Amino acid sequence: MQLNESQISQFDQQGYLFFPELLDTDEVTALQKAVPDVLDRRGPEIVCETDDPTAVRLAFGAHTYSDAFRHLVRLPRLLNPVRRLLDNDVYLHQSRLNPKNGFGGGASWDWHQDYPPWNKIDGMPEPMCIMAAVFIDDCSVARSPLLIVPGSQRHGLLDSEPHPDTTGKEYALHHIDHVTLKSLAADNGIEALVGPAGSVAFVHCNVVHGSANNVSPWQRAIMYLIYNAVNNACTGTDRAWYHNNRDFSPLLPLDDDCLKTLAE
Ligand SMILES: O=C(O)CCC(=O)C(=O)O
């Protein structure tokens, strides 16, 4: 898939592009089959919910220990648009699977930009980085979808505070104050990214986003793949490989059916 000029200018304006069902049902099946093993894993790369240490909040680095996610990272339908938007070769800075468990198990995410910890801790020089949000499950309005403030990336790096739950931890989230959020939302509105499993959003790393508790009975997993331009490689070394990948080799596309074959 190649982006056209109008999609590129839409990304520049809105900070994201959304493609419903970019992955087909076989590809979704391959990813869904891979999720339980990822969530059963234990180690520092697996972060659990604060109020339930048995429930995974984020599984970092699955592209290194799961074949399906390893293939996903190099799927041409993801890699080509990202390379075009960044006008560069890319490597994967980070991957994180957010299962967003049902019945309130998947706790909320305060409003934030992703770029601050990558800039301040990992030494990522510029916000030349894109988050591909791959819907592993259907993301309906009922399932606590990802909420974004379109166009907020045009404000650059906003003031933010380390989130109290992650302060002092290796895993860092910086949240945005309510006055700033109110003003951004008044200007730009807030959009919910909803669509069936297999949909993909390409989101600029300075887009303000968050989500509510998932009180529905259903899991709502999204795999976040963080692609960084090779010429924007991080200089910091404080954080572990699963936060700040040090292999800056350009990713090369695999065959377009590389994921489909794993569904069999
Ligand atoms: O998936 C969600 O609900 C939000 C996750 C998020 O904001 C993040 O990982 O930065």
Side-chain angles (χ1 to χ4, degrees), residues 99-121:
K100 197 90 186 197
N101 302 301
F103 290 117
S108 65
W109 290 78
D110 263 354
W111 294 101
H112 64 282
Q113 296 174 304
D114 278 353
Y115 182 54
W118 303 337
N119 175 248
K120 291 175 185 159
I121 307 174

Side-chain angles (χ1 to χ4, degrees), residues 152-171:
S152 48
Q153 85 289 351
R154 285 183 274 130
H155 295 265
L157 192 54
L158 298 162
D159 284 343
S160 60
E161 290 291 327
H163 191 285
D165 279 352
T166 62
T167 305
K169 295 185 185 165
E170 193 198 7
Y171 160 60

Side-chain angles (χ1 to χ4, degrees), residues 58 96 98 100 109 112 114 146 209-211 220 222 224:
L58 287 177
R96 51 179 199 268
N98 179 352
K100 197 90 186 197
W109 290 78
H112 64 282
D114 278 353
L146 187 65
H209 60 282
S211 66
R220 187 235 62 188
I222 296 181
Y224 295 101

Side-chain angles (χ1 to χ4, degrees), residues 30-44:
L31 296 174
Q32 289 178 340
K33 271 172 44 186
V35 167
D37 278 353
V38 172
L39 298 183
D40 279 348
R41 193 178 165 95
R42 286 296 170 267

Side-chain angles (χ1 to χ4, degrees), residues 179-215:
V179 175
T180 307
L181 196 269
K182 205 168 168 179
S183 145
L184 287 171
D187 290 347
N188 305 283
I190 291 176
E191 283 177 18
L193 296 188
V194 292
S199 302
V200 177
F202 297 100
V203 185
H204 188 284
C205 62
N206 266 338
V207 164
V208 173
H209 60 282
S211 66
N213 279 5
N214 183 10
V215 294

Side-chain angles (χ1 to χ4, degrees), residues 19-203:
F19 294 91
E21 294 176 282
L22 189 62
L23 308 186
D24 69 21
T25 43
D26 285 347
E27 292 169 323
V28 169
T29 301
L31 296 174
Q32 289 178 340
K33 271 172 44 186
V35 167
D37 278 353
V38 172
L39 298 183
D40 279 348
R41 193 178 165 95
R42 286 296 170 267
E45 65 278 17
I46 309 297
V47 177
C48 290
E49 297 283 357
T50 312
D51 57 2
D52 182 358
T54 64
V56 174
R57 181 164 176 78
L58 287 177
F60 285 94
H63 66 286
T64 66
Y65 48 80
S66 159
D67 275 347
F69 290 111
R70 185 179 298 117
H71 284 68
L72 177 69
V73 166
R74 293 173 58 192
L75 198 66
R77 267 165 286 158
L78 300 190
L79 209 42
N80 289 337
V82 169
R83 294 197 295 192
R84 180 80 167 91
L85 290 170
L86 294 174
D87 198 18
N88 216 288
D89 279 328
V90 296
Y91 72 96
L92 201 76
H93 172 62
Q94 185 185 93
S95 79
R96 51 179 199 268
L97 176 68
N98 179 352
K100 197 90 186 197
N101 302 301
F103 290 117
S108 65
W109 290 78
D110 263 354
W111 294 101
H112 64 282
Q113 296 174 304
D114 278 353
Y115 182 54
W118 303 337
N119 175 248
K120 291 175 185 159
I121 307 174
D122 300 335
M124 188 183 288
E126 300 291 335
M128 286 172 59
C129 187
I130 287 178
M131 164 175 103
V134 181
F135 293 8
I136 309 296
D137 297 312
D138 294 344
C139 295
S140 63
V141 172
R143 290 194 199 199
S144 165
L146 187 65
L147 303 175
I148 64 162
V149 183
S152 48
Q153 85 289 351
R154 285 183 274 130
H155 295 265
L157 192 54
L158 298 162
D159 284 343
S160 60
E161 290 291 327
H163 191 285
D165 279 352
T166 62
T167 305
K169 295 185 185 165
E170 193 198 7
Y171 160 60
L173 181 73
H174 290 228
H175 65 173
I176 286 170
D177 69 77
H178 290 176
V179 175
T180 307
L181 196 269
K182 205 168 168 179
S183 145
L184 287 171
D187 290 347
N188 305 283
I190 291 176
E191 283 177 18
L193 296 188
V194 292
S199 302
V200 177
F202 297 100
V203 185

